[in-house]
Amino acid sequence: MKVAPPSHTHIEALSHLLGTLDSSISEEEALALSQDIFHKTESLTKEFEMTSPPQYHNFLVNIGLREKGLCYHWSDALYTYFTQKSYPSFEFHLMGANIGEYWTEHNVLLVVAKGKPVEEGIIIDPWRESGRLYFSKVKEDTKYVWKHRARRGCRR
């Protein structure tokens, strides 16, 4: 599956949303993080050889025709990548919904302003649309009820 490269409009929209997390966040840092999120998503889409819809891709992983691409592969890869980068105004967390439910559990990366509660963060979810980045404020993502996944190694 080939995903179109991120548009300037999408990068700007995420950058703006990141900037709303705290008044101390510079436009430059928000833009750099937004660009990095989109580019890492594009890289992982290729690495995971994503197919659509994501549930079909999960099937391919589960029967061994794809190595990775389940939602937690995405969230873990993004979390590992971004916690090793230097974004002084931001923290990164793992979030989950329907934890323990085989067919409906879902995992994402969360970006918050440094020191702010996870409930004020932004969901980063490339799995949901097969490599096309979905993002929104936690409270505005009504499809899921998110919980912090601190036990999965997420620092708090």
Side-chain angles (χ1 to χ4, degrees), residues 6 21 29 42 96 114-115 127 130 142 156:
L21 292 175
E29 187 179 5
E42 188 176 19
K114 189 152 300 258
W127 177 87
S130 299
T142 57
R156 176 96 181 161

Side-chain angles (χ1 to χ4, degrees), residues 52-97:
S52 184
Q55 295 82 356
Y56 177 68
H57 189 86
N58 283 9
F59 167 74
L60 295 176
V61 171
N62 288 329
I63 65 169
L65 293 178
R66 291 284 193 281
E67 186 178 331
K68 289 190 173 184
L70 303 178
C71 61
Y72 80 89
H73 293 139
W74 285 96
S75 61
D76 289 1
L78 292 168
Y79 179 77
T80 299
Y81 178 79
F82 285 106
T83 56
Q84 295 173 2
K85 304 281 284 192
S86 178
Y87 290 103
S89 301
F90 297 99
E91 293 177 2
F92 305 95
H93 297 273
L94 296 170
M95 298 289 277

Side-chain angles (χ1 to χ4, degrees), residues 83-125:
T83 56
Q84 295 173 2
K85 304 281 284 192
S86 178
Y87 290 103
S89 301
F90 297 99
E91 293 177 2
F92 305 95
H93 297 273
L94 296 170
M95 298 289 277
N98 305 316
I99 298 167
E101 299 295 325
Y102 183 79
W103 294 107
T104 60
E105 181 174 315
H106 191 40
N107 294 279
V108 295
L109 178 73
L110 183 82
V111 180
V112 295
K114 189 152 300 258
K116 299 288 183 174
V118 294
E119 296 78 19
E120 295 178 17
I122 296 170
I123 296 293
I124 303 297
D125 184 2

